[in-house]
């Protein structure tokens, strides 16, 4: 496995992303694109540890992006934004 090569994709993923970019993706295409992004391109379902520190760091960078995207679906993400907004309003008042 060469971690520095682009991740493989199929026509289903390709068309899902094209529809997503154009703003016309249906529910299935949206899910397919996000699943591929998180689990294939960002490797959030697997360990990033490798024998080489360089490869581990590279994969951990990809994984970090995926984890940040995945966190947006959690209820805490909205609560964090609302808490920050409330703090700014309190500080300004």
């Amino acid at each position: 496995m060469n971690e520095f090569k682009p991740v493989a994709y199929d026509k289903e993923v390709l068309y899902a992303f094209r529809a997503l970019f154009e703003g016309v993706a249906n529910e299935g295409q949206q899910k397919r694109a996000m699943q591929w992004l998180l689990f294939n391109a960002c490797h959030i379902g697997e360990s990033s540890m490798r024998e080489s520190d360089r490869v581990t760091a590279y994969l951990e960078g990809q994984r970090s992006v995926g984890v940040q995207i995945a966190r947006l679906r959690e209820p805490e993400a909205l609560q964090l934004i609302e808490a920050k907004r409330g703090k700014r309003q309190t500080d300004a008042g």
Side-chain angles (χ1 to χ4, degrees):
M1 173 181 181
N2 185 339
E3 288 85 356
F4 298 107
K5 283 189 173 183
V7 180
Y9 54 87
D10 57 21
K11 282 185 179 181
E12 186 179 326
V13 170
L14 177 70
Y15 290 131
F17 269 100
R18 285 183 179 178
L20 192 64
F21 291 138
E22 293 171 11
V24 297
N26 64 35
E27 183 179 342
Q29 289 172 316
Q30 292 174 45
K31 288 180 179 180
R32 183 69 179 120
M34 290 306 295
Q35 287 172 347
W36 182 88
L37 177 66
L38 295 175
F39 294 103
N40 294 86
C42 295
H43 320 286
I44 68 167
E46 62 186 68
S47 172
S48 55
M49 297 297 292
R50 298 295 189 273
E51 289 186 24
S52 161
D53 288 345
R54 180 174 175 241
V55 174
T56 297
Y58 181 77
L59 292 175
E60 192 57 25
Q62 292 178 332
R63 191 175 165 284
S64 174
V65 171
V67 169
Q68 290 181 63
I69 293 169
R71 282 187 185 153
L72 294 175
R73 67 181 174 195
E74 303 299 328
E76 295 81 13
L78 182 57
Q79 293 169 356
L80 183 62
I81 292 170
E82 290 172 347
K84 286 181 180 179
R85 185 182 317 143
K87 184 177 182 330
R88 276 187 278 170
Q89 290 173 351
T90 304
D91 291 345

